[in-house]
Amino acid sequence: MPFRLTADHIAEHNRQGRDAVEEDFEHLGRALRRRGVDVERLVARAQALQVAVPSWGLGTGGTRFARFPGPGEPRDLYEKLEDAAVVQQLTRVTPAVSLHIPWDTPDDPAAVKAFAAERGLVFDAMNSNTFEDQPDQERSYKFGSLTHVDEAVRRQAIAHNLECLRLGQALGARAHTVWIGDGGNFPGQVHFRRALAWYLESLRAIYAALPEGWRLFIEHKLYEPAFYSTVLNDWGTSYWVVSQLGPRAFSLVDLGHHAPNVNIEMIVARLIQFGKLAGFHFNDSKYGDDDLDAGSIKPFQIFLVFNELVDAELEKTPGFDPAYMLDQSHNVTDPAESLMASAAELARAYVQAHLVDRAELAEHQERNDALMALETLKRAFRTDVSPLLAVARQRAGGAFDPVGAFRASGYRRRKDAERPAKRRTGGGIV
Ligand code: LRH
Ligand code: MN
């Protein structure tokens, strides 16, 4: 029988850390009470956060130079779901998995759905892939897909997206994300206006096939794999397209898809105000689309993004229902550990954003007191909410310290014994 992490493993590890966490939690509770904040309200917020993990993030990622697989790698969709279940068991904020097709095409959707459900998992947004050619593919995507000059290639790419919708329906998903790498490497290679017109025309065909109750997410990206022009290059173009498509189309923000130093939290505020925010692919980056662990490079930026999200949440902004997903490439860490740490960083930023005294902030903004306005945000960001995040996880059946409990269980070592490396099936960012 494949090894499975049990509640006993988690309880055993929690026992070791209980006294310290509870002491810190009491202390934090007292400090917050002095600020007029009820720590239990924040525990409930921490437990309410739901983040989807990317199926392609459960195996070791790589770069164009190399990929160095780790021990006990998941070798197929079922083993990826096993690992995703462990991430959920320990963090209690990642009950959904986002599949990438054809990297993780379910051989038997009903069986995969049951396998996932038995492990407390559901399926989040589907992801299509027309940025690489499949062995049996008739026409190449070398020069584009949904915006290719050849209508037959565009039709082939549309058909692939419709197949993703069909698979997603069988799995119980309710959203579909389209990211394409279409663009050019040299001036003159792509006609900017015609390419965008073909993009909209192709997306209209996908939008028209959306199942009842589904949402369509489109994901912009400044560059890569195209290095001169990208058809869906920025949030403005994305907003125009989703406005043309209709009420069930939204713009998804991948934090790594912007030029350095772009004010992403302001883009988030815009898309919220325009009622067109799909949600996020959370990760972090130093230079380009590095797909590093969320909160590992710019934790203040993730806090400022959640500050905009919580502001809208508290104002009960109509139609505000963002989908939170991680989209990372784990090249040098254990993928499960990175996903657990990243999910915890999102919960931290979300709870800290709920710590912002918004009445005080509004006063400082009214009085143009820039310093005190910033100080009001920084006070929340400086608050170490680790004890309440740990208690929130433990009360929900998870671990005070997910990575610690994961390592203590020997899960990866045991999987290494169970999963003799075989030729890797299923893709992922290489
Ligand atoms: C593109 C992207 C997109 C996924 C891919 C794996 O950079 O962010 O969301 O399809 O990564
Ligand atoms: Mn992404």
Side-chain angles (χ1 to χ4, degrees):
M1 277 297 292
F3 172 78
R4 290 182 72 169
L5 193 81
T6 65
D8 292 350
H9 285 114
I10 300 173
E12 170 46 37
H13 196 264
N14 283 345
R15 235 189 313 283
Q16 290 151 30
R18 179 180 303 285
D19 298 349
V21 171
E22 287 182 350
E23 187 183 321
D24 294 348
F25 181 67
E26 295 313 313
H27 174 72
L28 176 62
R30 281 195 299 278
L32 291 180
R33 201 171 306 119
R34 276 201 305 276
R35 285 155 61 172
V37 175
D38 169 12
V39 71
E40 291 301 332
R41 178 176 71 80
L42 299 179
V43 169
R45 287 292 88 211
Q47 293 174 330
L49 185 76
Q50 305 279 289
V51 179
V53 298
S55 60
W56 59 96
L58 288 153
T60 299
T63 71
R64 58 184 165 172
F65 300 106
R67 189 182 86 90
F68 302 95
E73 284 263 321
R75 302 164 302 174
D76 57 30
L77 179 53
Y78 292 95
E79 292 180 351
K80 287 183 176 184
L81 293 174
E82 275 188 331
D83 294 1
V86 168
V87 172
Q88 167 57 2
Q89 277 177 282
L90 293 166
T91 66
R92 297 293 166 177
V93 291
T94 60
V97 177
S98 190
L99 291 189
H100 219 298
I101 306 298
W103 289 344
D104 296 298
T105 300
D107 52 0
D108 173 347
V112 166
K113 188 178 181 185
F115 183 94
E118 201 264 330
R119 288 163 179 74
L121 297 172
V122 295
F123 290 98
D124 203 282
M126 302 295 287
N127 296 269
S128 57
N129 174 345
T130 58
F131 49 83
E132 58 186 3
D133 291 343
Q134 303 309 318
D136 54 0
Q137 197 171 298
E138 195 177 343
R139 291 180 169 78
S140 173
Y141 294 134
K142 179 173 181 174
F143 295 105
S145 60
L146 296 171
T147 75
H148 196 288
V149 293
D150 178 347
E151 196 205 356
V153 177
R154 301 198 299 271
R155 264 204 313 277
Q156 175 183 279
I158 292 166
H160 165 70
N161 280 274
L162 272 53
E163 171 60 10
C164 293
L165 300 181
R166 188 188 66 73
L167 287 169
Q169 265 191 298
L171 291 165
R174 295 174 60 74
H176 179 56
T177 297
V178 179
W179 171 74
I180 59 172
D182 293 24
N185 277 5
F186 303 102
Q189 180 185 344
V190 172
H191 188 285
F192 298 151
R193 291 178 287 120
R194 268 204 299 279
L196 183 59
W198 282 325
Y199 180 82
L200 178 58
E201 181 191 290
S202 296
L203 266 289
R204 283 197 195 288
I206 298 169
Y207 186 86
L210 268 188
E212 187 60 36
W214 275 52
R215 299 188 294 171
L216 180 63
F217 301 160
I218 66 172
E219 183 179 358
H220 60 273
K221 183 174 181 178
L222 181 64
Y223 76 100
E224 188 205 41
F227 293 106
Y228 169 68
S229 68
T230 292
V231 177
L232 199 79
N233 61 319
D234 65 12
W235 79 274
T237 308
S238 177
Y239 171 65
W240 176 77
V241 171
V242 294
S243 306
Q244 303 297 311
L245 288 173
R248 296 196 286 149
F250 300 87
S251 298
L252 185 138
V253 177
D254 183 313
L255 270 66
H257 288 189
H258 305 84
N261 308 325
V262 161
N263 188 329
I264 297 175
E265 55 271 21
M266 196 171 178
I267 293 173
V268 171
R270 291 276 184 275
L271 289 170
I272 290 171
Q273 192 158 9
F274 302 159
K276 281 298 189 180
L277 178 65
F280 296 85
H281 279 181
F282 284 113
N283 48 54
D284 215 331
S285 50
K286 182 74 176 158
Y287 305 103
D289 187 21
D290 310 338
D291 284 333
L292 299 174
D293 293 9
S296 62
I297 307 292
K298 307 187 286 286
F300 191 49
Q301 176 177 269
I302 290 226
F303 163 76
L304 293 173
V305 166
F306 272 100
N307 178 49
E308 295 302 326
L309 295 166
V310 167
D311 197 49
E313 176 188 317
L314 294 174
E315 285 182 11
K316 301 204 174 352
T317 305
F320 178 70
D321 178 19
Y324 299 146
M325 287 167 272
L326 289 166
D327 178 4
Q328 301 176 174
S329 181
H330 308 119
N331 304 354
V332 295
T333 58
D334 181 295
E337 293 185 1
S338 274
L339 289 169
M340 288 186 272
S342 302
E345 284 308 300
L346 298 186
R348 180 184 308 284
Y350 179 56
V351 166
Q352 288 174 328
H354 269 283
L355 260 176
V356 173
D357 184 328
R358 295 186 185 275
E360 183 192 341
L361 179 62
E363 274 167 37
H364 296 317
Q365 289 166 340
E366 279 307 307
R367 291 205 217 95
N368 298 308
D369 187 339
L371 189 90
M372 287 315 294
L374 170 62
E375 180 50 27
T376 308
L377 291 184
K378 293 301 287 283
R379 189 184 319 126
F381 177 68
R382 279 195 302 263
T383 305
D384 180 3
V385 295
S386 305
L388 83 83
L389 296 175
V391 166
R393 288 188 291 266
Q394 182 267 337
R395 289 183 184 171
F400 285 134
D401 167 13
V403 172
F406 178 78
R407 291 187 174 187
S409 75
Y411 180 88
R412 189 59 76 191
R413 178 173 43 72
R414 294 162 186 263
K415 290 299 166 185
D416 194 27
E418 284 174 21
R419 299 169 175 175
K422 73 171 180 184
R423 195 184 64 70
R424 183 159 172 266
T425 60
I429 301 176
V430 290

